[in-house]
């Protein structure tokens, strides 16, 4: 009899966040690769009801937006294996016999200088602790996250496995030029509009680079995003454009046509856009905080300090050098392709079949 596997894709509630994008890529992977006739498990996807049927007819669907199920885990069917893609998901298996694979993307929400109140930090700490204790396998998306789990929770046993994120190859999808773009050269940054992403530093830097242009992509309908919009308008920062949320096709165009990709984030468990930009052979200028030094490796340029003058200098010192040596772009592309979803899922398939 086949084992029953549930994969929690509930972050599809917001596909413009990193977790939503990862969940979307999981759904697409299963749609293209899951065949119940050949698989050792029967697959169910837990996701918002609006996605029922979105990933083919071969998988089963369970609603993550059902009110009763969201508040009472005992209303779930019983599964042999449960894979939670997001460490802050409210869902977990109720049966002690269910094997629980718990993927942790970062524990930055527990850091005192993050964006959460002490009360919320304490709540997240307890919730994650319960799931770590319950987990049969704890999958970490980087060595940085492994160190976080070991240091914050004191866990260093053989349940810990580093499985790097898979990154979808965006170079093979159709591209579409966003309406806000023209034919000028530009820098590019895409992220959720939150203070930890440091959009405000780029505004200050771009004031020092009036001959350059910057497109900021992402849903800026947040308190922080509205502040960034006000600053652009009130300070007349004419070389910075808010594009808003972009489609996959528009995002691919922006990566393919930008002069450089900028990533000044202070808190990342992995840093997906860094690898996406490298797929297109673009110079990446990044913060060196949290996981970014590990993921950017020798292929990114790192700002030693997140200070506008120094950020500007790092770009100016390296941009022309990068384009003068085409081998750098080729090496970047090869490195980026090593984060394939095929490699990523091979690791999880091993875990699924080990139970």
């Amino acid at each position: 009899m086949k084992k029953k596997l549930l994969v929690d894709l509930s972050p599809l509630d917001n596909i413009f966040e990193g977790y939503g994008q990862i969940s979307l890529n999981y759904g697409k992977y299963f749609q293209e690769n899951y065949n119940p006739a050949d698989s050792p498990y029967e697959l169910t996807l837990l996701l918002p009801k609006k996605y029922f049927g979105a990933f083919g007819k071969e998988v089963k669907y369970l609603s993550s937006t059902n009110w009763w199920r969201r508040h009472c885990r005992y209303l779930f069917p019983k599964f042999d294996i449960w894979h939670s893609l997001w460490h802050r998901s409210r869902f977990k298996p109720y049966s002690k016999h269910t094997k629980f694979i718990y993927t942790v993307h970062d524990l930055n929400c527990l850091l005192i200088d993050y964006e959460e109140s002490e009360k919320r930090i304490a709540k997240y700490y307890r919730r994650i602790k319960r799931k770590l204790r319950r987990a049969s396998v704890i999958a970490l998306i980087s060595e940085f996250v492994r160190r976080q789990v070991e240091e914050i929770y004191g866990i260093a046993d053989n349940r810990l496995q580093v499985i790097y994120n898979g990154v979808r190859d965006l170079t093979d999808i159709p591209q579409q030029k966003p309406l806000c773009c023209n034919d000028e050269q530009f820098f590019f940054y895409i992220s959720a509009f939150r203070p930890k992403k440091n959009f405000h530093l780029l505004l200050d830097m771009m004031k020092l680079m009036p001959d350059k242009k910057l497109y900021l992509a992402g849903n800026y309908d947040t308190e922080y995003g509205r502040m960034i919009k006000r600053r652009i308008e009130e300070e007349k920062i004419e070389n910075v454009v808010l594009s808003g949320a972009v489609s996959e096709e528009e995002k691919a165009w922006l990566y393919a046509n930008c002069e450089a990709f900028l990533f000044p984030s202070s808190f990342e468990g992995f840093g997906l856009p860094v690898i996406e930009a490298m797929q297109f052979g673009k110079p990446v200028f990044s913060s060196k905080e949290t996981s970014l030094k590990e993921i950017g490796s020798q292929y990114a340029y790192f700002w030693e300090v997140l200070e506008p003058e120094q950020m500007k200098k790092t770009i100016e010192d390296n941009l022309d050098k990068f384009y003068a040596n085409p081998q750098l772009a080729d090496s970047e592309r090869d490195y980026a392709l090593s984060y394939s979803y095929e490699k990523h899922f091979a690791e999880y398939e091993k875990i699924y079949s080990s139970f």
Side-chain angles (χ1 to χ4, degrees):
M1 187 174 178
K2 291 189 177 186
K3 292 186 176 178
K4 294 183 178 180
L5 165 67
L6 178 138
V7 180
D8 180 356
L9 303 186
S10 58
L12 282 169
D13 271 334
N14 186 353
I15 62 168
F16 298 112
E17 295 276 354
Y19 302 120
Q21 283 294 302
I22 290 168
S23 298
L24 185 64
N25 288 334
Y26 262 71
K28 291 176 179 176
Y29 173 85
F30 288 129
Q31 182 178 15
E32 295 169 3
N33 295 277
Y34 175 72
N35 183 344
D38 301 330
S39 177
Y41 53 81
E42 179 185 280
L43 176 63
T44 298
L45 302 180
L46 176 65
L47 39 60
K49 194 167 185 178
K50 65 182 179 180
Y51 284 96
F52 277 28
F55 304 116
K57 299 178 180 178
E58 304 293 349
V59 302
K60 295 185 176 181
Y61 297 91
L62 202 60
S63 173
S64 61
T65 45
N66 178 289
W67 189 93
W68 293 101
R69 198 171 286 130
R70 286 175 68 86
H71 293 84
C72 183
R73 59 195 175 102
Y74 297 102
L75 294 177
F76 275 94
K78 183 179 177 182
F79 292 92
D80 300 297
I81 308 166
W82 183 298
H83 183 187
S84 181
L85 290 186
W86 183 37
H87 54 283
R88 285 163 61 183
S89 172
R90 67 186 303 118
F91 302 107
K92 65 179 179 180
Y94 73 87
S95 172
K96 65 180 181 180
H97 300 294
T98 300
K99 300 296 183 182
F100 183 35
I101 305 165
Y102 186 41
T103 297
V104 181
H105 289 263
D106 63 66
L107 296 179
N108 296 335
C109 62
L110 304 182
L111 303 180
I112 200 66
D113 53 349
Y114 193 67
E115 298 161 17
E116 305 288 358
S117 67
E118 289 189 20
K119 184 177 180 180
R120 287 179 70 86
I121 289 172
K123 182 183 78 170
Y124 290 146
Y125 178 87
R126 292 191 300 270
R127 180 185 294 175
I128 293 169
K129 183 177 182 179
R130 288 193 295 269
K131 290 186 176 181
L132 288 170
R133 188 186 299 130
R134 171 68 178 80
S136 311
V137 173
I138 303 169
L140 304 317
I141 65 167
S142 64
E143 291 292 344
F144 164 74
V145 180
R146 178 201 281 270
R147 292 193 296 273
Q148 280 194 313
V149 169
E150 290 175 344
E151 292 167 8
I152 295 175
Y153 286 101
I155 297 174
D157 56 43
N158 60 8
R159 292 179 299 153
L160 301 182
Q161 295 187 36
V162 174
I163 301 177
Y164 286 107
N165 271 337
V167 184
R168 183 188 178 195
D169 185 359
L170 298 178
T171 62
D172 63 356
I173 69 173
Q175 296 177 15
Q176 181 178 334
K177 182 179 179 179
L179 293 175
C180 64
C181 295
N182 54 35
D183 294 327
E184 296 176 287
Q185 284 191 321
F186 61 90
F187 297 150
F188 176 43
Y189 181 32
I190 184 169
S191 190
F193 273 75
R194 294 176 177 172
K196 66 170 184 170
K197 302 295 187 176
N198 292 327
F199 285 86
H200 58 285
L201 294 178
L202 293 180
L203 300 189
D204 295 331
M205 186 194 77
M206 292 304 293
K207 286 182 175 182
L208 306 174
M209 306 178 78
D211 57 327
K212 297 292 185 181
K213 193 163 193 173
L214 169 65
Y215 286 105
L216 301 177
N219 177 16
Y220 55 85
D221 189 19
T222 64
E223 182 179 352
Y224 178 69
R226 289 187 287 272
M227 181 274 288
I228 294 295
K229 185 174 186 292
R230 281 197 306 273
R231 277 200 57 192
I232 291 172
E233 293 170 349
E234 293 171 3
E235 298 172 32
K236 295 181 171 53
I237 309 174
E238 296 179 352
N239 59 340
V240 177
V241 176
L242 294 171
S243 70
V246 293
S247 67
E248 288 291 285
E249 294 78 10
E250 290 172 326
K251 180 170 72 170
W253 187 94
L254 287 160
Y255 279 130
N257 291 277
C258 71
E259 187 179 13
F261 182 70
L262 314 183
F263 202 69
S265 176
S266 294
F267 293 95
E268 298 292 332
F270 182 83
L272 203 68
V274 168
I275 300 300
E276 290 179 339
M278 288 183 180
Q279 291 175 352
F280 292 85
K282 298 297 179 174
V284 174
F285 294 89
S286 172
S287 156
K288 64 176 184 177
E289 303 302 321
T290 55
S291 66
L292 292 173
K293 192 82 171 178
E294 175 187 350
I295 301 305
S297 187
Q298 70 197 56
Y299 304 97
Y301 299 102
F302 294 101
W303 290 306
E304 288 302 315
V305 291
L306 292 176
E307 189 278 322
E309 286 277 4
Q310 290 299 314
M311 293 165 71
K312 170 181 176 285
K313 185 175 188 306
T314 299
I315 293 173
E316 291 178 337
D317 287 349
N318 293 286
L319 193 60
D320 289 342
K321 292 178 185 177
F322 179 89
Y323 283 107
N325 184 355
Q327 187 177 349
L328 294 177
D330 292 338
S331 298
E332 254 193 349
R333 292 188 191 98
D334 290 342
Y335 172 68
L337 291 175
S338 71
Y339 290 94
S340 70
Y341 260 104
E342 288 73 23
K343 184 176 179 181
H344 173 83
F345 276 106
E347 294 296 316
Y348 277 114
E349 291 286 359
K350 276 192 251 179
I351 297 174
Y352 296 157
S353 61
S354 69
F355 296 126

